[in-house]
Amino acid sequence: MRPDPAQCQWDPAIPDPDLLRRFDVAGPRYTSYPTADRFHGGHDAVAASEALALRAFGPSASQPLSVYVHIPFCESVCYYCACNKVVTRHHERATEYLKALETEMGLVLRQLGERPVVSQLHFGGGTPTFLCDAELSGLMALLHKHFRIAADAEVSIEVDPRTIDVARLRHLRSLGINRLSYGVQDFDPAVQKAVHREQSVESVAALMAAAREMGFRSINVDLIYGLPLQTPISFARTIDQVATLRPDRVALYGYAHLPHRFKPQRRIEASALPVATDKLRMLSGAIAGFIARGYSYIGMDHFALASDPLAVAKREGRLHRNFQGYSTQPDCDLIALGVSAISKVGPSFAQNLKTLPEYYAALREGRLPVERGLKLDQDDLVRRDAIMALMCQGRLEFDPIERSHGVVTADYFAPELERLRRMEADGLVTLEPRAVQVTPTGWFFVRAVAMVFDRYLRRDPATSASAGGATDVPSSPVRFSRIL
C-alpha cells in the first residue's frame, strides 16, 4: 500500500546537534539489501547464468531492465577516491576494454534471449568521459545492438568537469544521454589541491549553463564533506556556490578515511582532516543551506529542487532505491557490465571480477566474468522489503509484508520493534498498531532506523546499531560506481 501523500509532505526542521552526533552514523547506504560486503564466491558465473536464464522464462521477462556500464579509467587520481579505477594516460587501453564489453553483452544476451527493453542506462566509473567521442559512439551503438533502449529512457553519465568541454557535452547529448552528474566535491582551492582535483567554479558554471541550453533533463552535483582542510566556514561557501548554480539534484557524501583499503587515500594527511564536531557542523550546515535555498531533502544524502521528479516522487510516496541511490523508477532487474560491476537479477546479486586481467581472462574463456554474489533467502526478502519501505517511504506497513511473505509482522520483527521503542523516545519514529512511521526528524537518520532490521549487523557486533545509534564504522562506498 502506498502511503498517504500527506504523510510524505514534511517540512523538516534541522535536527538537533545531539541527535546528529548520536544517529548520523556510518553504515550501509542500503542501495541494496543485503549489502555487497555479504557477497561470497560460492555464487559464481554458473549461478549468475542461471539467474539470467530464469528471468528469460519468468514473469519479469517482459519488464524493462536497468543497465549500468562501468568505465574504470581515469587520467589522474583523486586522493579521496574509493572507486574501482585504473589510472592511466594511455587512452589506447580503452580499445581492449570496449571489445571485452561487447563480449560480455553477447554472453548476457545469450542467456536472456531476445533483446530486452531498457528504461534506465547509466555510465559510471572511473571517468566515463575518459573515452573519446568515437569510442562513446561505438559503445552506445553496441548497447543499441544488444538492448532495446526505450525512447523515454533515463540515460545518465558521471562527468569529471575537468575532462569535457561544450563540444563534448554536445556529443553526449547527440548520443541520447539526457542526465549528467558532475563530480565537484568542493570548490575551495586549498581543499581541491589537497585531494588533487582542481577545478574552478566558473568552469563548472559554464558547463552547467551549456548543458541546460542543450536540453539535458537533469543535472546532479556530487559533494563530499570531511575532506582535508575543509572547515564549516569553507564548506558553507561551497554550499552557497553550488546552490547558486541551481543543479536539479545534489548528492552529499561523508568522506570515510580508509587508507588501509584504498591506496590513494594514503596521500592524505590524517592531521589535515576535520575533527568529528566540524564534520557534524558541515553536515548540519549543508542541510540547512540547501533547504533554505529551496531544495527538498530527499533522504540520506540526496537533495532536489522542489519541481524535480525526485522531489515530486518523495511527496507522493513513490520513491524507490537502487544502486544509484534514490530513483523515481520502480525496482527492476539490473544488468551491470564491466569490471567490478554488480548486477541484480531476480532474488540474486552478482559482482564481476575486480581486476582487468581477471575480467579479460574470463571473457576469453567464454564465461560471465563473475567473482562473487548472493542469492537471497526468504528472510533476506522479508527484511529487504521492510528496509526499502523505510528508506523510500519512511513508513513500514505490516499488511503488505504479511501479504507478500506470509508472516505475522509484529511477531517476526518483535526484537526490532522493541529496539525501535528507544528511537521512538528520541522522536525518530512513531510505532503505530500496524505500522512504523519515521518522523520528520527521523528522516534525517533513516539509515540508523533501517539498520535495526539488518540481521547481518546483529551477527557482526562491530557494525550493529546500539540504543544510542550505531557504532561509527565506515559505510560501504557502494554506489553505481563505488564498488567494494
Side-chain angles (χ1 to χ4, degrees), residues 422-458:
R422 289 173 254 183
M423 290 188 169
E424 185 176 37
D426 284 307
L428 305 189
V429 299
T430 300
L431 300 183
E432 302 175 6
R434 298 285 298 164
V436 176
Q437 176 68 49
V438 179
T439 67
T441 297
W443 190 244
F444 289 100
F445 312 103
V446 68
R447 170 165 54 186
V449 177
M451 287 168 70
V452 171
F453 291 84
D454 190 332
R455 68 168 175 173
Y456 296 96
L457 296 185
R458 288 206 309 272

Side-chain angles (χ1 to χ4, degrees), residues 44-46 49 96 99-100 103-104 106-107 110-111 353 356-371:
D44 56 10
V46 173
S49 294
E96 183 179 10
K99 290 179 180 177
T103 301
E104 187 180 2
L107 292 173
R110 186 184 304 170
Q111 298 297 329
L353 292 154
L356 287 178
E358 293 173 307
Y359 175 72
Y360 292 151
L363 293 171
R364 284 195 297 269
E365 294 169 6
R367 58 183 174 87
L368 290 175
V370 172
E371 177 183 56

Side-chain angles (χ1 to χ4, degrees), residues 129-190:
T129 46
F130 178 91
L131 302 180
C132 69
D133 286 353
E135 289 166 338
L136 284 167
S137 295
L139 176 55
M140 189 63 81
L142 288 174
L143 289 162
H144 279 286
K145 176 182 176 182
H146 291 87
F147 304 97
R148 288 179 289 160
I149 300 174
D152 60 347
E154 292 184 359
V155 186
S156 56
I157 188 168
E158 296 175 10
V159 172
D160 179 344
R162 301 171 302 172
T163 67
I164 61 170
D165 55 21
V166 172
R168 295 220 72 196
L169 278 179
R170 191 172 294 110
H171 185 71
L172 295 178
R173 191 70 190 93
S174 74
L175 295 177
I177 294 171
N178 50 42
R179 293 175 178 269
L180 299 172
S181 181
Y182 289 114
V184 169
Q185 322 317 347
D186 194 297
F187 275 134
D188 185 270

Side-chain angles (χ1 to χ4, degrees), residues 270-285:
S271 61
L273 295 172
V275 297
T277 53
D278 279 352
K279 284 188 68 174
L280 287 175
R281 289 173 63 195
M282 289 179 209
L283 174 60
S284 60

Side-chain angles (χ1 to χ4, degrees), residues 165-228:
D165 55 21
V166 172
R168 295 220 72 196
L169 278 179
R170 191 172 294 110
H171 185 71
L172 295 178
R173 191 70 190 93
S174 74
L175 295 177
I177 294 171
N178 50 42
R179 293 175 178 269
L180 299 172
S181 181
Y182 289 114
V184 169
Q185 322 317 347
D186 194 297
F187 275 134
D188 185 270
V191 175
Q192 291 182 352
K193 186 173 182 179
V195 297
H196 200 232
R197 189 185 180 98
E198 299 180 56
Q199 58 203 355
S200 68
V201 178
E202 293 76 16
S203 64
V204 175
L207 290 171
M208 290 182 66
R212 288 195 176 95
E213 290 178 3
M214 295 173 197
F216 283 90
R217 287 187 206 167
S218 180
I219 300 172
N220 176 78
V221 164
D222 282 352
L223 297 175
I224 299 176
Y225 68 96
L227 293 175

Side-chain angles (χ1 to χ4, degrees), residues 407-426:
V407 301
V408 178
T409 311
D411 294 340
Y412 197 90
F413 289 133
E416 288 79 8
L417 295 173
E418 184 59 34
R419 292 171 67 195
L420 286 179
R421 293 193 184 282
R422 289 173 254 183
M423 290 188 169
E424 185 176 37
D426 284 307

Side-chain angles (χ1 to χ4, degrees), residues 273-326:
L273 295 172
V275 297
T277 53
D278 279 352
K279 284 188 68 174
L280 287 175
R281 289 173 63 195
M282 289 179 209
L283 174 60
S284 60
I287 293 170
F290 282 123
I291 290 175
R293 289 162 176 79
Y295 284 84
S296 297
Y297 179 61
I298 304 303
M300 282 285 293
D301 35 35
H302 283 64
F303 301 83
L305 292 174
S307 58
D308 186 86
L310 202 63
V312 175
K314 166 72 182 300
R315 292 195 294 271
E316 297 179 353
R318 296 185 291 101
L319 271 184
H320 298 274
R321 194 157 176 81
N322 57 32
F323 280 109
Q324 282 180 282
Y326 284 109

